Amino acid sequence: APDQPSAPLAIPSQSGGCGVAGGRMTDTRRRVKVYTLNEDRQWDDRGTGHVSSCYVERLKGMSLLVRAESDGSLLLESKINPNTAYQKQQDTLIVWSEAENYDLALSFQEKAGCDEIWEKICQVQGKDPSVDITQDLVDESEEERFDDMSSPGLELPSCELSRLEEIAELVASSLPSPLRREKLALALENEGYIKKLLEIFHVCEDLENIEGLHHLYEIIKGIFLLNRTALFEVMFSEECIMDVIGCLEYDPSLSQSRKHREFLTKTAKFKEVIPISDPELKQKIHQTYRVQYIQDMVLPTPSVFEENMLSTLHSFIFFNKVEIVGMLQEDEKFLTDLFAQLTDEATDEEKRQELVNFLKEFCAFSQTLQPQNRDAFFKTLSNMGILPALEVILGMDDAQVRSAATDIFSYLVEYNPSMVREFVMQEAQQNDDDILLINLIIEHMICDTDPELGGAVLLMGLLRTLVDPENMLATANKTEKTEFLGFFYKHCMHVLTAPLLANTTEDKPSKDDFQTAQLLALILELLTFCVEHHTYHIKNYIINKDILRRVLVLMASKHAFLALCALRFKRKIIGLKDEFYNRYIMKSFLFEPVVKAFLNNGSRYNLMNSAIIEMFEFIRVEDIKSLTAHVIENYWKALEDVDYVQTFKGLKLRFEQQRERQDNPKLDSMRSILRNHRYRRDARTLEDEEEMWFNTDEDDMEDGEAVVPPSDKPKNDEDIMDPISKFMERKKLKESEEKEVLLKTNLSGRQSPSFKLSFSSGTKSNLTSQSSASNLPGSPGSPGSPGSPGSPGSVSKSTSQMAAITTKGGLVGLVDYPDDDEEDDEDEDKEETLPLSKKAKLESS
């Protein structure tokens, strides 16, 4: 971008006397275009507005102001500097240099307006308005820069072989100055000079005049850099374009000339896959191909200073393509024949490949269209049946044809995914799953032969776009998300997950080569996306098909990136904090492969180590109670020695606090006291009681002890201390006794994994595989699962009858009181927001 003016643009204060005498804002005399010269020495149009002159306090002088005619914003505010050289050209142009590298120009609609502003400038500088320049220029180059454009145009030397060197020098010397370039372009246009130069080119080739051919190369290259559409139209005409390419074959910097014309006439063949009857369209296609060839192959790579000088050439190609697409789109017979031959089984393979390549190029051209024209373009293709045609093509054996069809499909998905979704849902009502368009795409992704899976990556991106709810429409009578996702999970998801399920039937991947691992990683990436965006559809699929267990088999892969993909999939599920998922994870012991991978990773500090720890840390921080209990009960022995992070010790602490909160209200001795000393708590007393709770000396009190407020303390302390001492005794023996208790409960469940038992030893290994599984939080009949039958938090009558159990240490306080059920329910309704241990304290009277 060009440098900004030294005087920053700002809206001046509205003061009287600012303007041209008698002028109005609608006066055409004051209508101007503002131009600035950019770093590439080209004039940029800054907008059209109305000019005025007035004194600006901030700039301390008379200034030129231009306000945009569209919204009144300030396009230009420039102080008339007494020492700046202003130039008046062609009666309607004023040019000056604002700073060293910042030139400005005002182009007036009418000569009268230019004269008025010129008088103002001359008045400030004390000059006679009859002059065309207000200051002497510093040097010759500056004089050339502001050369009067109203003077007679540039005079070109006569177009003769002997004067080619002179012409080449003139063109080269004109390029640095925008005004001299303008004059040179006008001279070339007016005198038909280019055709004369091309006649000399033939003479030079006949005479093998290499020096003359080198001069012609420089001249023609220079004409390209003039960046003039009118000149391009002459050079790219049917009669001139091959000679122009011929001139550009003789680059002086190369030892041998190039053979561009030979390539274009003999090697490059124009194939009409469908005959084009319109001669104008055919000529436009030829021209565009050749000009594109000139841009890409013939012209040397532009230098930093020349890059913008070819912008008009880019524009020429761009508008040609737009014109070609429009003309083809309007030719209904052409498109009808195209799609008919594409889908005709009688069409031979070579012909079909040409048709598909043409259609692919046609779609690529459409990317140059404006949005509204592109809409019409794809609508036309849709009406012609492009999607059914693609379905036919994708089912063919020819890999090249399928590849081109995939590219066409990508244009359609990126343009309008809803159109593609609507089509596949309609065809599902008529066709088998195997030949559905989306399933064909999935199969091509799975069968990609590229070692780097380039095609599969593209197709996975398209599938992701199609299943993304963010771009699905929702109207009053139609919800695309519900309909399409229902269709996708019923007809397509089994095709997508087939490679994953086929490869995870054992404890480790059956195929673990790099290409298979890459493919499975791609599938997992899409499944992870579905977990995040599809809620109940993917939840039902994962749980019913046991997908997570199969995915976690990939944790044993030798490819770290695949194992991490599997872990990321599980982490996304845990991140949802959904109890349906949690119960599924616990029931199937799906932390086992993760813990195994963690232990196998050893002491290495790598991404696997960090990712696994982060998952357990998430469970701890978010206090996911069911998963915390499951991990500690089943895997604590394996994890207790990990002390370089506090994650696992923190999980154990969470677990213990959770168990104490569950156990305290069930203590036999505590229950006998609390039954006799209940009172209704007023909500307003809660704050004082909590204050007292936190002020209690922690060193003298174990977690879970019942603290009785002094004001409510009974007279006989021994009545309380005796059961508390019994509770402390029980706490020390809790772990071993608890497992004895569990052994005596006659519960059935899924067999525990061998992995869990391998970490058990001593008194902790008393669990049988049958009973340990049944004690998982969340499994039926689990004593440690909140809200399940047998949970301390919700004791049913069936469990109350088997709760009094005798152990080695005597009667344990795990006893229920059936006659208190109703009273308990009433109190717990009031106190459900408090931890159970605190309820025990506050219920004492």
Side-chain angles (χ1 to χ4, degrees):
D3 296 333
Q4 294 299 311
S6 56
L9 297 181
I11 298 176
S13 58
Q14 298 295 322
S15 57
C18 186
V20 178
R24 293 176 290 112
M25 289 302 286
T26 55
D27 192 340
T28 55
R29 287 182 304 171
R30 299 172 57 193
R31 193 163 184 263
V32 293
K33 266 190 179 294
V34 181
Y35 291 93
T36 57
L37 192 67
N38 62 30
E39 291 175 344
D40 299 305
R41 313 305 298 162
Q42 293 188 48
W43 289 103
D44 291 335
D45 183 353
R46 294 298 182 187
T48 304
H50 293 85
V51 66
S52 60
S53 62
C54 68
Y55 185 85
V56 175
E57 183 65 35
R58 183 175 59 79
L59 300 178
K60 306 295 183 190
M62 290 295 291
S63 304
L64 298 176
L65 308 177
V66 180
R67 289 190 179 279
E69 65 179 359
S70 56
D71 57 6
S73 60
L74 205 58
L75 295 177
L76 174 69
E77 180 184 65
S78 173
K79 180 182 176 181
I80 301 173
N81 195 310
N83 300 316
T84 296
Y86 290 85
Q87 242 187 333
K88 187 169 74 160
Q89 301 173 3
Q90 294 182 326
D91 293 333
T92 57
L93 193 66
I94 297 176
V95 182
W96 74 99
S97 188
E98 187 83 5
E100 185 177 346
N101 290 313
Y102 191 74
D103 294 359
L104 285 161
L106 291 179
S107 176
F108 289 78
Q109 182 172 334
E110 294 185 9
K111 179 179 181 298
C114 183
D115 291 342
E116 287 183 67
I117 293 298
W118 185 249
E119 284 179 18
K120 283 287 183 185
I121 293 170
C122 291
Q123 185 181 335
V124 171
Q125 294 199 346
K127 302 290 181 181
D128 186 336
S130 61
V131 300
D132 288 333
I133 185 164
T134 61
Q135 301 286 331
D136 292 331
L137 295 176
V138 179
D139 55 32
E140 189 179 353
S141 64
E142 288 290 312
E143 185 174 356
E144 287 178 2
R145 204 160 146 204
F146 298 110
D147 199 8
D148 186 357
M149 290 187 70
S150 63
S151 63
L154 189 70
E155 192 171 331
L156 291 168
S158 57
C159 196
E160 298 172 5
L161 179 59
S162 59
R163 304 193 71 174
L164 284 178
E165 184 175 0
E166 186 183 344
I167 297 167
E169 287 175 359
L170 175 64
V171 171
S173 65
S174 299
L175 289 175
S177 166
L179 300 181
R180 289 180 69 82
R181 285 214 316 267
E182 184 76 14
K183 285 176 160 185
L184 176 59
L186 287 171
L188 290 168
E189 285 175 45
N190 296 337
E191 299 180 21
Y193 209 78
I194 292 173
K195 290 184 178 179
K196 295 176 184 176
L197 287 170
L198 296 177
E199 288 172 7
I200 295 177
F201 167 70
H202 287 292
V203 173
C204 288
E205 273 207 316
D206 293 341
L207 298 174
E208 296 184 358
N209 184 340
I210 300 301
E211 185 182 357
L213 291 169
H214 285 170
H215 288 317
L216 281 164
Y217 171 89
E218 297 292 351
I219 293 166
I220 296 296
K221 181 190 167 190
I223 293 174
F224 268 98
L225 295 177
L226 291 176
N227 214 21
R228 191 86 171 186
T229 305
L231 296 178
F232 287 156
E233 286 174 355
V234 175
M235 294 165 73
F236 299 151
S237 63
E238 188 73 26
E239 58 179 316
C240 296
I241 190 165
M242 296 307 287
D243 290 339
V244 168
I245 293 170
C247 291
L248 293 172
E249 290 179 353
Y250 294 94
D251 187 346
S253 63
L254 300 175
S255 56
Q256 278 191 323
S257 63
R258 297 294 180 88
K259 305 291 183 185
H260 297 304
R261 285 172 295 175
E262 186 178 321
F263 172 83
L264 288 171
T265 53
K266 296 179 180 176
T267 309
K269 300 292 182 184
F270 176 62
K271 292 183 178 178
E272 291 183 78
V273 289
I274 302 290
I276 296 173
S277 54
D278 185 348
E280 185 185 350
L281 172 59
K282 194 181 292 188
Q283 192 273 328
K284 188 70 71 177
I285 292 171
H286 283 302
Q287 184 189 58
T288 305
Y289 175 77
R290 290 165 180 168
V291 176
Q292 186 93 52
Y293 182 82
I294 290 171
Q295 183 191 46
D296 296 340
M297 304 299 296
V298 180
L299 287 175
T301 304
S303 68
V304 176
F305 303 106
E306 295 172 343
E307 200 161 348
N308 248 12
M309 290 183 169
L310 293 173
S311 60
T312 306
L313 181 62
H314 301 316
S315 299
F316 188 93
I317 295 169
F318 171 86
F319 288 114
N320 261 21
K321 288 181 177 180
V322 170
E323 213 172 324
I324 290 168
V325 171
M327 292 167 81
L328 284 172
Q329 191 179 329
E330 290 166 9
D331 191 339
E332 286 189 16
K333 183 180 184 305
F334 178 87
L335 290 178
T336 305
D337 290 349
L338 173 68
F339 284 105
Q341 291 191 35
L342 262 177
T343 53
D344 188 353
E345 291 182 5
T347 306
D348 63 70
E349 285 188 12
E350 187 178 348
K351 177 72 171 177
R352 197 185 313 276
Q353 187 173 332
E354 290 173 0
L355 290 164
V356 173
N357 285 334
F358 170 81
L359 188 56
K360 174 185 167 182
E361 194 171 357
F362 192 30
C363 290
F365 270 32
S366 74
Q367 302 305 297
T368 61
L369 298 174
Q370 295 297 317
Q372 64 272 23
N373 295 337
R374 201 179 311 149
D375 286 350
F377 172 80
F378 281 110
K379 194 169 183 181
T380 301
L381 290 187
S382 178
N383 294 338
M384 288 287 175
I386 189 168
L387 285 166
L390 284 179
E391 198 167 49
V392 172
I393 298 164
L394 287 168
M396 295 178 178
D397 296 331
D398 192 323
Q400 285 185 316
V401 169
R402 290 203 312 266
S403 174
T406 301
D407 290 337
I408 296 167
F409 183 70
S410 71
Y411 286 122
L412 295 170
V413 171
E414 287 165 15
Y415 164 70
N416 190 347
S418 289
M419 178 179 78
V420 178
R421 284 192 283 260
E422 186 176 354
F423 169 76
V424 295
M425 284 191 288
Q426 286 175 353
E427 68 163 349
Q429 299 168 5
Q430 304 160 1
N431 298 336
D432 296 333
D433 286 0
D434 294 343
I435 58 172
L436 294 182
L437 180 58
I438 291 189
N439 287 346
L440 290 171
I441 293 295
I442 294 172
E443 284 171 18
H444 290 320
M445 181 195 80
I446 292 169
C447 301
D448 188 6
T449 54
D450 178 8
E452 297 298 325
L453 294 186
V457 171
L458 168 67
L459 293 171
M460 184 59 73
L462 298 178
L463 285 173
R464 183 171 175 155
T465 302
L466 287 173
V467 301
D468 187 355
E470 295 297 320
N471 61 45
M472 293 184 186
L473 304 173
T475 57
N477 56 0
K478 179 183 175 186
T479 306
E480 187 180 17
K481 178 179 175 181
T482 305
E483 291 182 9
F484 181 75
L485 292 183
F487 155 82
F488 183 78
Y489 281 88
K490 182 179 179 182
H491 298 281
C492 308
M493 186 57 101
H494 66 279
V495 183
L496 178 67
T497 55
L500 173 68
L501 297 175
N503 210 37
T504 53
T505 53
E506 307 295 333
D507 291 338
K508 60 181 183 179
S510 51
K511 282 181 68 180
D512 205 18
D513 58 279
F514 179 70
Q515 191 164 353
T516 302
Q518 272 195 309
L519 175 63
L520 294 180
L522 277 177
I523 293 171
L524 276 178
E525 187 181 331
L526 186 60
L527 289 177
T528 305
F529 176 83
C530 293
V531 166
E532 186 175 5
H533 292 90
H534 289 178
T535 58
Y536 68 89
H537 289 95
I538 188 70
K539 186 194 302 180
N540 291 340
Y541 190 80
I542 288 173
I543 293 174
N544 292 337
K545 302 289 185 183
D546 201 13
I547 294 294
L548 180 56
R549 184 175 66 81
R550 305 293 284 273
V551 165
L552 291 174
V553 169
L554 301 176
M555 294 286 292
S557 171
K558 67 183 179 185
H559 300 285
F561 69 87
L562 180 57
L564 286 165
C565 280
L567 183 65
R568 185 160 57 245
F569 179 69
K570 179 170 182 176
R571 173 64 178 81
K572 185 66 74 176
I573 289 174
I574 289 175
L576 297 175
K577 298 191 283 188
D578 185 314
E579 278 304 313
F580 283 100
Y581 276 131
N582 292 347
R583 283 199 287 273
Y584 162 62
I585 288 170
M586 294 184 297
K587 183 179 178 183
S588 301
F589 292 91
L590 295 182
F591 277 102
E592 179 180 335
V594 176
V595 176
K596 266 187 179 177
F598 182 67
L599 296 176
N600 291 338
N601 191 62
S603 59
R604 284 176 292 176
Y605 177 48
N606 54 16
L607 193 54
M608 178 64 73
N609 174 277
S610 298
I612 293 175
I613 289 173
E614 188 278 334
M615 184 170 71
F616 286 112
E617 182 68 12
F618 176 81
I619 294 170
R620 185 192 71 80
V621 170
E622 296 296 324
D623 195 16
I624 305 176
K625 293 180 174 54
S626 54
L627 295 184
T628 300
H630 176 74
V631 169
I632 296 303
E633 286 176 353
N634 293 282
Y635 309 108
W636 169 244
K637 197 66 181 172
L639 302 171
E640 64 180 337
D641 293 332
V642 179
D643 55 7
Y644 54 87
V645 289
Q646 296 304 305
T647 295
F648 301 108
K649 287 182 170 52
L651 270 176
K652 183 75 185 313
L653 181 62
R654 287 270 196 202
F655 172 70
E656 288 173 348
Q657 290 170 345
Q658 182 180 325
R659 292 302 291 264
E660 285 169 7
R661 283 197 295 271
Q662 292 172 356
D663 289 348
N664 282 350
K666 301 298 181 183
L667 291 176
D668 175 48
S669 53
M670 201 62 75
R671 177 71 77 178
S672 64
I673 295 170
L674 297 179
R675 280 169 59 200
N676 299 324
H677 295 68
R678 285 226 171 101
Y679 70 96
R680 297 287 177 195
R681 227 174 41 257
D682 182 67
R684 290 170 296 180
T685 65
L686 180 60
E687 192 174 324
D688 295 333
E689 289 161 351
E690 285 196 344
E691 181 90 87
M692 182 209 61
W693 170 277
F694 290 114
N695 288 338
T696 306
D697 188 355
E698 291 181 6
D699 295 332
D700 299 330
M701 182 189 77
E702 286 285 337
D703 258 351
E705 283 186 9
V707 179
V708 182
S711 58
D712 298 325
K713 189 174 179 180
K715 292 178 183 179
N716 189 354
D717 287 350
E718 292 180 6
D719 291 344
I720 297 177
M721 294 310 296
D722 185 55
I724 289 179
S725 64
K726 286 183 181 180
F727 161 63
M728 294 302 296
E729 180 181 327
R730 177 188 176 275
K731 185 176 180 184
K732 291 174 184 175
L733 297 170
K734 180 171 66 174
E735 196 168 30
S736 60
E737 291 174 349
E738 188 179 37
K739 295 190 176 180
E740 280 192 50
V741 169
L742 296 173
L743 277 169
K744 297 189 179 188
T745 58
N746 187 20
L747 300 172
S748 62
R750 177 191 178 283
Q751 190 158 18
S752 167
S754 58
F755 173 70
K756 187 187 107 179
L757 295 178
S758 69
F759 293 127
S760 304
S761 62
T763 58
K764 296 183 183 181
S765 64
N766 292 333
L767 288 165
T768 65
S769 62
Q770 188 177 29
S771 64
S772 61
S774 64
N775 296 327
L776 283 168
S779 62
S782 165
S785 175
S788 63
S791 164
S794 59
V795 181
S796 68
K797 292 187 179 180
S798 62
T799 56
S800 67
Q801 292 170 4
M802 53 190 282
I805 299 168
T806 305
T807 65
K808 293 177 187 175
L811 189 64
V812 177
L814 190 62
V815 182
D816 190 39
Y817 298 88
D819 57 328
D820 279 341
D821 281 353
E822 292 180 11
E823 191 177 0
D824 288 351
D825 292 343
E826 185 179 354
D827 287 340
E828 284 170 11
D829 287 343
K830 295 279 186 180
E831 299 161 12
E832 62 186 359
T833 58
L834 289 177
L836 293 174
S837 56
K838 292 191 180 182
K839 290 182 193 176
K841 174 195 76 170
L842 295 172
E843 285 171 357
S844 302
S845 56

